[in-house]
Amino acid sequence: MRPVPEPPPMSTRALLACLVLAAAASLFLWQTVWLYPFRLLVTLMHESGHALAAWAVGSHVSSVTISPATGGLTYHSLTGSLWRELLIASGGYVGSSLAGALLLVAAGRMRSGRALLWGLVVWMVGVAVLWVPLLPPDPGAAHALATGSSQSDGLFTLGFIAGMGALLGLVAWKGPVWMRRGLVVWIAALSCLLALQDIKGLFGYGLEVGVSDAHAMAQLTYLPAPFWAAVWMGVSLAAMWLGLRSIVRRRRLAASRGPMMSERLSMR
């Protein structure tokens, strides 16, 4: 029995179509029930970015949770250093943007998308094992009001990871190729565009004023929150552009090598 050949890489047109749909959804449908599971997934990516940044600068991460209201909290030990706190505060948006860009680069090369979906499952399980306790610290009245967080968020986060992990695993195992590919690009684009939500919140759409990472950065640096939101938006768009540029360059190189390879084969 012959093995089933792997499909060719995702076409540039299909890739761009997925990106345009994800961008439109991020702008106009972010608060709808249809995107609710993906909002939670991107929030988990965001909080993982904070946790990884804290770990990288030597801070101890005690918990990472997301809430049913799609907010998130990451608790870490204080570093006593302004620049380290700035890195940790920026880790959410920068980390999710970089993760999205890497997923885009991988999406441009993927054949079926199965390995990338399983990779996302492994990441979620790793977050659950390392940083999600059953009973996280009490968020306090201020954080509870701002993010909708509570001490039951540990159980909620573990339940979400189990459910979303099972869904992604099922799609990776049994889903058709177009679904696996489209899901990877969709998640990558939403992760890159998360900073859009902060900018929308600063102008009265979506997030409430005073609860975003941009406002936390403003308190640390005395630079206005819109400045940091714009910086993170620039990082997100730059990450997406670099990811797409890598895909286009790789495909142009492959196309230019194609005729040369065929000429060599004909000469032989």
Side-chain angles (χ1 to χ4, degrees):
M1 184 176 179
R2 293 183 179 180
V4 178
E6 289 194 2
M10 190 177 191
S11 68
T12 302
R13 181 176 297 179
L15 185 67
L16 291 176
C18 287
L19 290 174
V20 170
L21 287 174
S26 178
L27 281 170
F28 305 112
L29 302 176
W30 191 252
Q31 300 296 332
T32 64
V33 67
W34 307 106
L35 290 186
Y36 181 69
F38 298 102
R39 287 162 57 196
L40 291 173
L41 180 63
V42 174
T43 301
L44 187 63
M45 286 186 174
H46 178 91
E47 297 304 323
S48 298
H50 285 306
L52 286 172
W55 173 80
V57 299
S59 178
H60 172 70
V61 178
S62 57
S63 74
V64 170
T65 56
I66 58 177
S67 73
T70 68
L73 284 176
T74 297
Y75 283 95
H76 63 89
S77 59
L78 294 176
T79 63
S81 169
L82 177 61
W83 72 267
R84 288 178 179 175
E85 293 297 330
L86 291 175
L87 286 176
I88 295 171
S90 297
Y93 288 116
V94 173
S96 60
S97 297
L98 292 178
L102 290 175
L103 273 176
L104 278 180
V105 172
R109 304 184 181 191
M110 66 180 173
R111 296 288 179 171
S112 69
R114 180 176 283 117
L116 290 177
L117 289 176
W118 282 121
L120 287 172
V121 174
V122 170
W123 155 69
M124 286 192 292
V125 172
V127 170
V129 171
L130 291 174
W131 294 320
V132 183
L134 281 174
L135 190 64
D138 186 352
H143 283 98
L145 180 63
T147 64
S149 300
S150 69
Q151 283 193 298
S152 64
D153 287 347
L155 187 59
F156 175 80
T157 305
L158 291 173
F160 170 75
I161 288 174
M164 180 59 79
L167 177 62
L168 294 181
L170 181 63
V171 174
W173 181 34
K174 291 293 187 178
V177 173
W178 66 266
M179 181 181 293
R180 296 197 298 263
R181 289 172 162 178
L183 189 56
V184 169
V185 177
W186 177 264
I187 293 172
L190 290 180
S191 181
C192 284
L193 292 171
L194 178 61
L196 276 174
Q197 305 313 311
D198 220 342
I199 289 182
K200 287 166 61 180
L202 290 170
F203 293 99
Y205 301 96
L207 295 174
E208 295 296 328
V209 174
V211 302
S212 69
D213 289 337
H215 288 89
M217 290 289 286
Q219 292 179 355
L220 288 170
T221 63
Y222 302 104
L223 293 171
F227 169 80
W228 291 109
V231 167
W232 290 328
M233 188 61 211
V235 170
S236 299
L237 293 176
M240 284 191 68
W241 181 78
L242 289 174
L244 290 173
R245 183 169 176 264
S246 173
I247 294 171
V248 172
R249 289 185 63 182
R250 176 180 172 83
R251 293 187 176 187
R252 284 178 178 173
L253 183 61
S256 64
R257 287 179 176 176
M260 295 177 61
M261 292 296 296
S262 61
E263 286 181 12
R264 290 179 183 175
L265 290 174
S266 62
M267 289 175 64
R268 290 180 181 178

